[in-house]
Amino acid sequence: MNKVADIMTTVRQRRVGKGTEAAEDQPSEEKNVKNEEGGKILPGYTGRKLWNIFSVTVGGIVAISVGLLTSVYVATLHENDLWFSNIKEVEREISFRTECGLYYSYYKQMIQAASIQQGIVNCKQYLEPVYFYIYTLFGLQAVYVIALYVTSWLLSGTWLSGLLAACWYITNRVDTTRVEFTIPLRENWALPFFAVQIAAITYLLRTHLQPVQEKMTLLAVFISTFLFSLTWQFNQFMMLIQALALFILDCFDMLPTAKVMWLYIIQISGLLLVCVLQFFNSMILGSLLLSFNASVLIARTIQKNLKKGTLLNRLGKLILHVLLVMWLTFLINKFIKKILHLESDEHIFKFLKAKFGFGATRDFDANLYLCEEAFGLLPLNTFSRLSDTLLFYVYVFVLFLVTVAAVIVAFQNLSDSNQVQFMEKMEECTITLKPDAAYNFIHTVLFGCLAFSTMRMKYLWTSHMCVFASFGLCSTEVWKLILKCIHLYTPQRTRMMKYSIPIITLLYISYKFWPGIMDELSELREFYDPDTVELMNWIKSNTPNTAVFAGSMQLLAGVKLCTGRTLTNHPHYEDKNLRERTKQIYQIYAKRSPEDVYRILRSFGTDYVILEDSICYERRHSRGCRLRDLLDIANGHIMDGLGENEPDLKPSLYPRFCEEIKKNLPSYTVHFTRVFQNKTFHVYKLAKHK
C-alpha cells in the first residue's frame, strides 16, 4: 500500500506540474539549492541568483515600458482621429457617442458639484476635466497590457513571451480593443481589472507557494474581482464563465480543490460588496453566478469522496455531482427571483433563447439586441486579420497541443488509482499540464465560444489569445513534447526553439507592421458633426433648464451630457421599467395616432420630443430589423416595404407618426409645434392642454 501511495503522489505531481521547476528567468520563488551537508551553497548558485534578479528586473522594465507605450499609442490615435485638443467642448462631448455620453455625463455632473470642486476632484488648474478622464482610461490600457504581459510570463517562464503577447495585442488592435473611439464604455474600465485578476489567479495556481504569498495573491484576486465587478454590468456573466472553467477543472482533478473553493468565495464576496455599494442592486442578488457558486459549495459539502474510486465509479459520481449542481442552481436562482420579484435580466434570457433557435420572439427588447451586428456571430474576416500577424495560426497550434495534453491528463486523473502496475506505467508518462496552464486553457476555450456566438464579446477572447499563443510559443513543455514526438529532443534544442522562434516572430511582426503603425500615427482627421452641434447649442439657448426631452436612447445620452436637460429615457437598459418606458417613447416611430403619442409622451412629463430622420427613414438594417419594423411587429402591424409578413399581423389604422407629423396637419399641430429643424433633427414642443 505504501508503494501505491508513493507512486500516486509522484504521478499526481508530474501531471499537474507540482514537481516542475521554475525556468531560470521566471518571476517565481527560488528553489532550495543548498547542500544539506553543512548548509553550503552549491557552486553556481550565486551566479544563477544574480541572473534571475537581472532577468526579472529587465522583464519588469520592458513590461512597464510596453504598457506605457500602448497607452500613448491609443491616446495619439484618439487625438489624431478627432483633433480632440482643438475642437470645442460641445464637440468633444458629442464625440462620446451613444451610452458613452451617458457615462461621461455622470463624471461631468460630479465635477460641477460645488462640494466636489472644493474637494479632491478639483484638477482644473492642472488639467482639463475631460483630459483627466480620458487619460485615466488610457492609463488603464497600460495596466491592461502589463497584466497580459505578466500572465504570459508566468505561464511560459520567460518575459520574452510577455513581450510577444503585448506586441500581438497592439498589432491586432482592431480586434483586441476599441478604447480609442469608445472611451467611456464600462468595459474599458473593467477589462484591465479582469486581466489583473487572471494574472493573479495564474500566480495563485502555481505550486510551492509560501503561505504569505498565497494570502497576498488571494487578496490581489479579491481586489481585482471587486473592481471588475464594480465597473461593468456584465461582470456576473463573465465571472459565471470563469466559475464554470474552475468547476470543470476541479471535476477532473486538474486544480487544487482548496484554491478553487477560495476563488468561488472571492467571487461571491466581491459581488455582494458591489451589491451593497450600488445601494443593494437587486439584479446582482438574482445573478446566476451567486446561485451557481453557492450550489457548488453546497454540493461539495453533501458529496464526500468525490475524487476517489475506479474510473466508472468516479464518472458516476461526477455525473451526479454535475446534475446536483445544475438542479441547485436553478432552484436557488428561481427562489431568489421569486422572493425579490426580480425581472431586470429577463430580456437577456429572451435574447439568448431566440438567438440559439429556441423559438422566435416578438419581444421588442430581445429583437433590439438580435438585430444589432455587435450581438451577432463573429465575422469570418476576424480570423483573416488575426492570421496576418500569425496570431491565429500559432493560437490554433498551441490550442491543439494543450487540448491533447488536457484530455490525457484528465483521463489519467479519473482512471483506476488502485492498480499498482497501471500507476507504474503512468509514472513514465511525460504528458503534464500545470494547474495555471490548465486554467488558462479552459478560460480561452470558454471565452472563445462566447466570442464566436456574440461578436461584441470578442475583446475578452482576443486579448487572451495573445497570452495563450505567446505562452505556447515560449513554453519549455510544449517544445519538449514536439521534439520528442519527432525524436529530436535534447535540452539544448528545446532551449534554442523556446527563444529563437519567438524572436523570429517578433522580427516578422516588426518588419511587417511597424511602417503601418507609423502611417497610422501620422494620419490626421477632424471631428465633424455640424447638425448635432447645432441641435445641442439650440437646446442650451432656447429651452429652460427644467425642460424634459424625449427621443432615442443614443441621442438623449448626448442631450444629457451637453445640455444637462432632463430625459425621459436613456441607454441604461438593465432596468425593466426603463426598458418599458423606452418602448413607449419609441412609439414616435411607430404607426400610432397623434393622440396616442401625445398621451404617452405627456405621461412621462415630456416638454420636447426629438425626431431623427436617420431612424424614421432607416436603411442601415434590412427589412425586419429596422427600428420601425420592430415596433410594427411588437404592435401587431404589417411592416413597410416589399416582403413577407407573419399571417396574424394587421394593417395599422394610422400612418407612421414620424412621417405624418411633418405635414403639419391640424390633428398633429394641435398637440405638437415644430420649434427646430435641420437636415437631421426635428424638435417639437408639446402643447400643455388642461
Side-chain angles (χ1 to χ4, degrees), residues 19-31 157 206 434:
T20 306
E21 293 188 7
E24 65 279 357
D25 55 351
Q26 192 165 345
S28 62
E29 66 284 348
E30 287 294 329
K31 291 180 65 68
R206 294 165 67 85
K434 295 184 290 184

Side-chain angles (χ1 to χ4, degrees), residues 127-194:
L127 191 69
E128 290 183 68
V130 67
Y131 276 106
F132 176 79
Y133 185 90
I134 65 173
Y135 286 166
T136 298
L137 272 160
F138 291 143
L140 281 175
Q141 279 295 296
V143 175
Y144 195 5
V145 172
I146 291 171
L148 298 176
Y149 181 109
V150 170
T151 304
S152 186
W153 185 359
L154 289 169
L155 288 169
S156 66
T158 170
W159 58 261
L160 185 63
S161 174
L163 179 60
L164 181 57
C167 289
W168 264 330
Y169 178 85
I170 294 168
T171 52
N172 291 283
R173 176 183 55 80
V174 173
D175 295 299
T176 55
T177 183
R178 51 178 180 164
V179 66
E180 77 273 14
F181 62 90
T182 58
I183 298 175
L185 277 187
R186 286 174 285 187
E187 69 186 50
N188 294 329
W189 291 96
L191 293 186
F193 299 121
F194 192 49

Side-chain angles (χ1 to χ4, degrees), residues 447-625:
F447 278 94
C449 294
L450 178 66
F452 272 95
S453 65
T454 308
M455 186 185 75
R456 186 174 179 180
M457 299 301 170
K458 72 175 180 179
Y459 302 104
L460 290 153
W461 178 53
T462 49
S463 58
H464 195 263
M465 279 181 71
C466 303
V467 171
F468 196 75
S470 61
F471 141 68
L473 213 58
C474 300
S475 170
T476 301
E477 290 80 7
V478 169
W479 285 115
K480 184 177 179 181
L481 178 62
I482 294 171
L483 292 174
K484 281 195 172 185
C485 288
I486 58 177
H487 307 290
L488 291 175
Y489 169 73
T490 64
Q492 294 77 16
R493 285 185 182 138
T494 302
R495 189 177 180 85
M496 181 189 71
M497 299 298 288
K498 174 180 177 178
Y499 291 106
S500 61
I501 299 300
I503 289 173
I504 292 171
T505 305
L506 282 168
L507 291 174
Y508 168 79
I509 293 172
S510 301
Y511 173 78
K512 184 171 182 179
F513 293 98
W514 181 258
I517 291 175
M518 291 297 100
D519 291 341
E520 194 176 34
L521 289 173
S522 62
E523 188 175 352
L524 302 178
R525 299 186 183 91
E526 183 178 358
F527 175 83
Y528 185 74
D529 189 355
D531 289 347
T532 307
V533 171
E534 184 184 13
L535 172 66
M536 299 304 172
N537 287 334
W538 180 87
I539 292 174
K540 286 194 289 186
S541 303
N542 297 277
T543 64
N545 294 335
T546 56
V548 179
F549 279 79
S552 69
M553 294 184 291
Q554 296 81 358
L555 179 62
L556 290 185
V559 171
K560 175 177 173 58
L561 170 59
C562 297
T563 70
R565 300 301 189 264
T566 304
L567 312 178
T568 57
N569 55 307
H570 58 66
H572 185 74
Y573 220 58
E574 284 73 49
D575 181 81
K576 183 182 180 182
N577 292 328
L578 190 55
R579 290 197 301 270
E580 183 58 35
R581 174 182 288 216
T582 297
K583 180 183 175 182
Q584 291 299 312
I585 295 294
Y586 277 7
Q587 297 302 312
I588 58 180
Y589 297 109
K591 298 173 181 176
R592 299 291 292 269
S593 69
E595 293 77 17
D596 283 347
V597 174
Y598 176 81
R599 176 181 49 79
I600 291 170
L601 294 176
R602 286 303 299 162
S603 69
F604 298 120
T606 307
D607 297 313
Y608 297 87
V609 59
I610 307 174
L611 297 174
E612 301 169 63
D613 287 346
S614 58
I615 297 178
C616 191
Y617 306 108
E618 180 189 358
R619 291 184 175 86
R620 185 169 67 94
H621 291 103
S622 60
R623 185 177 185 269
C625 268

